[in-house]
Amino acid sequence: MKLTALTVSNFRSLGDDVRIELNQLTALVGPNGSGKSNVVDALRFVADAMHMGLGGAISHRHGVDAVRRWSGGHPFNMSLQLELELDAGPATYGFELTGSKDEDYRVKREHLKFVTGTGSTGFEVERGRWLSGAEGLRPALDEQSLALPLIAGDERFLPVHAALKNISVYSIFPDTLRVPQKYSPIKPMSRHGDNWVSVLRDQPPETWKPELVAMLHRLTGDIVDIKISPAASYLLVQFRHHSTHRKAKWFDAAQESDGTLRVAGIVTALCQEPPVPIIGIEEPELTVHPGAVEML
């Protein structure tokens, strides 16, 4: 499964019909203030809307005025559309928000088209009314909610909802990874890595350790092993350093550099089980030595 294209209009600083075609790996490069973070947040916004509802996703960002591009007059209509390649076939999903004032919003339209080997399905909604699709379901709608989360339990729409809900965007904070953490069963890994030790602990080491140790060894030149150790009611990560001129020694995460921990967090996000199909990483090069950026 992969995300092949994102089209955005008037989301935060992004203007009309900003379309980005995406590959298996896509890097957004540009100066500060050019909109890179807003593209990534558009993905997070859709995932949040599937998790907590549209109202929750907007409230989480302190209101629609902080989501919609600023206008000195009538507020802009904001829209998002994602094109996906799912195991069952291609899907296109999107919605448009309108409103008469800065703090107001309504769902002007919402649409889904999902083509599978057995045919196509989908729906179209306008201003709280079903126009087509979702036969046999069609729950009551209001103009401040999305239809897809309401019908996601139906097998016709579940794959698309699951794909959107499972988008994960990471902004790894080394200080969050540095301190011992309480065990958490929550998956996937949280945005800042608050549960990264638990994610590793709950997986067989062969699913993450070879990749993580190899990457960190290339980064530092002397990390040769990693382990998770209990400390009272906490879990901590330790790294074994060894070189030809220094005796092998275990160091706690608290003793590692920001760059080492940031790379460790990114690799954990990529190797976690169950795998996350769509991952965004904000500023992956931050605190990483320039010579290691190409490797990352």
Side-chain angles (χ1 to χ4, degrees):
M1 192 207 90
K2 65 179 181 178
L3 175 66
T4 58
L6 170 69
T7 304
V8 183
S9 285
N10 303 316
F11 181 82
R12 298 181 65 176
S13 70
L14 302 173
D16 288 327
D17 294 325
V18 177
R19 179 178 171 83
I20 299 174
E21 296 187 0
L22 302 143
N23 211 317
Q24 196 69 26
L25 172 65
T26 302
L28 303 179
V29 182
N32 291 338
S34 60
K36 303 185 302 295
S37 294
N38 293 340
V39 170
V40 176
D41 191 49
L43 297 176
R44 185 189 297 120
F45 181 73
V46 173
D48 287 348
M50 298 299 115
H51 272 284
M52 59 182 72
L54 181 59
I58 290 174
S59 297
H60 187 63
R61 288 159 177 77
H62 309 293
V64 71
D65 192 30
V67 173
R68 190 164 42 196
R69 186 161 67 104
W70 182 85
S71 169
H74 191 283
F76 290 109
N77 282 8
M78 186 269 283
S79 65
L80 297 166
Q81 178 175 285
L82 294 87
E83 297 170 35
L84 304 154
E85 286 289 345
L86 305 180
D87 293 341
T92 301
Y93 173 75
F95 56 86
E96 180 181 358
L97 306 184
T98 188
S100 58
K101 53 185 183 295
D102 286 349
E103 66 273 15
D104 182 37
Y105 75 91
R106 297 186 302 278
V107 181
K108 183 177 181 180
R109 63 175 56 90
E110 180 185 3
H111 65 275
L112 168 65
K113 183 177 181 180
F114 184 24
V115 180
T116 68
T118 58
S120 64
T121 188
F123 64 82
E124 187 174 1
V125 170
E126 186 172 293
R127 298 185 183 275
R129 295 181 297 109
W130 293 97
L131 297 184
S132 64
E135 289 82 1
L137 292 176
R138 299 198 177 188
L141 302 176
D142 63 69
E143 291 188 57
Q144 291 194 312
S145 301
L146 295 174
L148 181 56
L150 298 178
I151 60 175
D154 189 279
E155 61 182 7
R156 292 172 291 176
F157 309 107
L158 179 60
V160 178
H161 180 264
L164 299 174
K165 185 178 179 180
N166 286 329
I167 295 173
S168 292
V169 175
Y170 292 103
S171 181
I172 304 296
F173 292 169
D175 284 348
T176 301
L177 276 58
R178 184 167 278 118
V179 298
Q181 297 178 356
K182 290 272 191 179
Y183 172 75
S184 170
I186 295 173
K187 305 292 183 299
M189 192 174 91
S190 62
R191 179 185 176 190
H192 301 308
D194 306 76
N195 61 336
W196 85 295
V197 186
S198 301
V199 168
L200 295 178
R201 179 179 179 267
D202 286 349
Q203 292 181 217
E206 60 270 18
T207 64
W208 59 268
K209 182 180 278 193
E211 189 80 21
L212 183 53
V213 171
M215 178 70 86
L216 295 179
H217 183 76
R218 291 176 62 191
L219 180 72
T220 66
D222 66 350
I223 289 180
V224 295
D225 200 0
I226 184 172
K227 66 180 180 180
I228 299 166
S229 304
S233 58
Y234 292 85
L235 297 171
L236 55 87
V237 175
Q238 294 179 304
F239 303 85
R240 188 171 186 257
H241 291 252
H242 177 70
S243 65
T244 56
H245 60 276
R246 186 168 59 184
K247 185 179 179 181
K249 186 176 180 180
W250 288 97
F251 290 91
D252 294 344
Q255 299 168 278
E256 299 293 342
S257 69
D258 284 358
T260 297
L261 293 178
R262 188 169 178 81
V263 169
I266 291 172
V267 175
T268 301
L270 296 173
C271 292
Q272 63 186 310
E273 297 282 350
V276 178
I278 301 172
I279 289 179
I281 300 173
E282 294 187 79
E283 298 185 293
E285 80 287 358
L286 194 65
T287 74
V288 177
H289 189 278
V293 170
E294 183 178 357
M295 174 198 73
L296 182 58

